[in-house]
Amino acid sequence: MSVDVNEVFAVERADQLEAARDWERELQSSVAAGTVKRLPDGRYRVLSGWDAGEILSARGVPQHGLDLSRGQPALYSAVPAWHHVGNVIPGGTDDIDKVLRLGGIDYHVETVPATYLWKGEYRVAEDRFHTVRTDTGASLGVVGKGYTVVQNRRSFEFLQELANDSHAVWESAGALRGGKKVFVAMRLPGHVTVDAEGIGDEIIPFIVVVNSHDGRCPYEVVVTPWRPVCGNTERLAVRDAFSRWTVRHTRSALDRIHEARRTLGLSIKYYDQWADEETALARTDLAISEFDDLIDTLWPHEEDATARVRRTHEARRDRLHDLFAGEAERTGRTAYAAERAVTEYLDHFAPIRPSAASGLKGDKLAARGLRLLEGTDDELKSRTHRRLMLLRPS
């Protein structure tokens, strides 16, 4: 049977174009329905659903930034993500080994001596080592002799007790940056509500464990209202010791990880307190002049600043005003709307310059996703929260 390859190609291309038009129509329909918003830079932000806050490219394509070392995105999730990749088990699973395997993080990491080339001869650096994935042989980073690898399973298995004791659910697991950073998220039972009698924002708390193998970041456990399913997931600020637990990759790390369980025993109590504070902000009216004062406090500049600095400051102010106006349409002109506006600016609009050291030079989307997951701007978000709390009516 003969095949006209030109005809086959034409049919396939027509199907591709129609699929693209369908996607464009679906995207614009979502914009019209108010579930997706077009951003000033041409990208889109998802406004509702599990992945509210997800940023799409100008063509409506999600940017997941997940590890592709094994040929497919390294992600397990209990619910489908907007980017429609990864292994999904509806409702989740309580099998940690399955979570690690489906999340693509069931690999081990070893350290091997670092070598360097000197005058045509390879030499061994006595105090430097490469961390290497045993499944792919890829180098993940260069570390010192005091660095201790925290294997993926060991770093997450302490959460299994929560799954057994409190019906918590494994929500997601995956790897970023070629496996240099891995994460697991567990959904805590119940939820908290911000301003139940007003805007009624329901927040579901998650425990997220982040482990790295490149020597750049500590092992960290955070309590957050967002489950990570990509490198672009928004993470709200964490404001006290009960919601963040960190340990460096030293010999004592393995012995200390069990301390995280005791510390996180106050997670639900913390979230109740957090919801009370956010409710107070939602009931605090905020004048534009007060919002401008907040901006000047967070990003102060001298009166004799250069023209370039002044332009940058005004551009930031304009963007923040736009974001505040958007939030105010939903929640009113309140301190809560102001906090959300600052958070959105830091997470999605603040200037970022990926460095060669991060391995993401030139890839601003991936660099921004890493910045969110690592909580680079948490201190500035915390200052925003504290400043706005001072404006509550006495």
Side-chain angles (χ1 to χ4, degrees):
M1 178 179 178
S2 62
V3 177
D4 186 337
V5 293
N6 296 288
E7 181 178 348
V8 172
F9 175 80
V11 171
E12 289 181 350
R13 181 54 56 88
D15 289 342
Q16 291 171 354
L17 291 174
E18 183 60 29
R21 284 192 288 269
D22 287 343
W23 173 247
E24 177 65 20
R25 284 193 291 267
E26 181 180 348
L27 179 62
Q28 296 308 317
S29 176
S30 297
V31 172
T35 58
V36 173
K37 177 182 179 181
R38 193 174 191 275
L39 300 174
D41 60 3
R43 294 180 297 159
Y44 296 86
R45 176 167 61 94
V46 180
L47 300 177
S48 64
W50 279 94
D51 287 299
E54 186 81 10
I55 296 298
L56 312 179
S57 72
R59 298 181 61 190
V61 179
Q63 308 292 313
H64 56 68
L66 296 163
D67 173 36
L68 299 172
S69 297
R70 294 178 174 177
Q72 61 180 3
L75 176 69
Y76 149 81
S77 184
V79 296
W82 272 89
H83 44 58
H84 300 297
V85 301
N87 298 300
V88 179
I89 296 183
T93 177
D94 59 2
D95 186 339
I96 186 174
D97 291 311
K98 183 179 292 187
V99 170
L100 295 174
R101 176 173 56 81
L102 294 178
I105 56 176
D106 55 343
Y107 56 87
H108 283 74
V109 176
E110 295 181 357
T111 56
V112 299
T115 61
Y116 62 96
L117 184 63
W118 177 253
K119 295 183 178 181
E121 177 185 2
Y122 281 98
R123 298 186 178 185
V124 175
E126 296 182 359
D127 59 347
R128 289 289 181 268
F129 300 84
H130 284 280
T131 51
V132 177
R133 286 181 61 157
T134 59
D135 60 338
T136 65
S139 174
L140 303 178
V142 178
V143 299
K145 60 182 179 180
Y147 182 92
T148 297
V149 174
V150 179
Q151 300 296 345
N152 292 338
R153 194 185 196 286
R154 178 68 183 273
S155 66
F156 305 135
E157 63 185 358
F158 79 96
L159 289 179
Q160 184 66 48
E161 295 180 35
L162 289 177
N164 296 336
D165 298 343
S166 61
H167 307 292
V169 176
W170 293 104
E171 278 290 318
S172 64
L176 305 167
R177 297 172 57 218
K180 295 179 180 180
K181 184 176 287 288
V182 296
F183 61 84
V184 160
M186 174 169 281
R187 174 180 175 174
L188 297 174
H191 64 268
V192 295
T193 303
V194 175
D195 193 16
E197 299 176 359
I199 58 176
D201 276 356
E202 289 192 351
I203 308 296
I204 300 172
F206 296 88
I207 293 178
V208 177
V209 181
V210 182
N211 188 24
S212 69
H213 299 297
D214 59 1
R216 296 181 61 244
C217 306
Y219 170 89
E220 188 169 37
V221 185
V222 297
V223 180
T224 168
W226 301 96
R227 63 175 173 85
V229 290
C230 62
N232 189 35
T233 306
E234 179 181 7
R235 180 162 63 82
L236 296 179
V238 180
R239 294 182 300 276
D240 61 36
F242 296 133
S243 53
R244 178 189 291 272
W245 188 89
T246 302
V247 64
R248 297 176 60 192
H249 286 76
T250 62
R251 289 187 178 87
S252 64
L254 298 178
D255 296 328
R256 293 188 57 203
I257 285 178
H258 72 277
E259 294 179 13
R261 172 69 190 278
R262 176 182 58 79
T263 302
L264 292 169
L266 297 176
S267 295
I268 297 298
K269 180 179 179 182
Y270 161 76
Y271 256 86
D272 288 338
Q273 177 185 345
W274 177 81
D276 289 342
E277 293 184 2
E278 296 298 302
T279 296
L281 295 182
R283 297 176 180 177
T284 301
D285 293 333
L286 193 73
I288 289 295
S289 60
E290 291 175 308
F291 187 56
D292 283 332
D293 288 343
L294 173 67
I295 295 173
D296 291 337
T297 299
L298 297 175
W299 292 280
H301 70 289
E302 302 296 334
E303 291 297 330
D304 59 350
T306 64
R308 180 179 180 182
V309 171
R310 289 197 298 271
R311 286 195 301 269
T312 298
H313 183 78
E314 289 305 314
R316 181 194 301 117
R317 183 188 298 276
D318 290 344
R319 177 57 58 84
L320 283 162
H321 272 277
D322 288 341
L323 295 174
F324 180 54
E327 289 291 338
E329 289 181 5
R330 184 178 71 89
T331 65
R333 189 170 290 179
T334 64
Y336 183 73
E339 183 178 54
R340 298 300 302 143
V342 172
T343 297
E344 183 174 355
Y345 173 79
L346 291 171
D347 288 348
H348 301 306
F349 296 99
I352 183 170
R353 296 178 177 84
S355 66
S358 69
L360 300 174
K361 187 175 183 179
D363 190 344
K364 291 187 177 181
L365 285 173
R368 190 175 296 282
L370 180 63
R371 186 183 183 93
L372 297 177
L373 193 59
E374 292 180 345
T376 303
D377 296 311
D378 277 0
E379 176 54 32
L380 200 54
K381 295 174 185 178
S382 296
R383 286 173 54 197
T384 300
H385 180 82
R386 293 192 299 267
R387 173 82 176 184
L388 291 171
M389 287 293 288
L390 295 175
L391 301 178
R392 292 175 300 170
S394 57

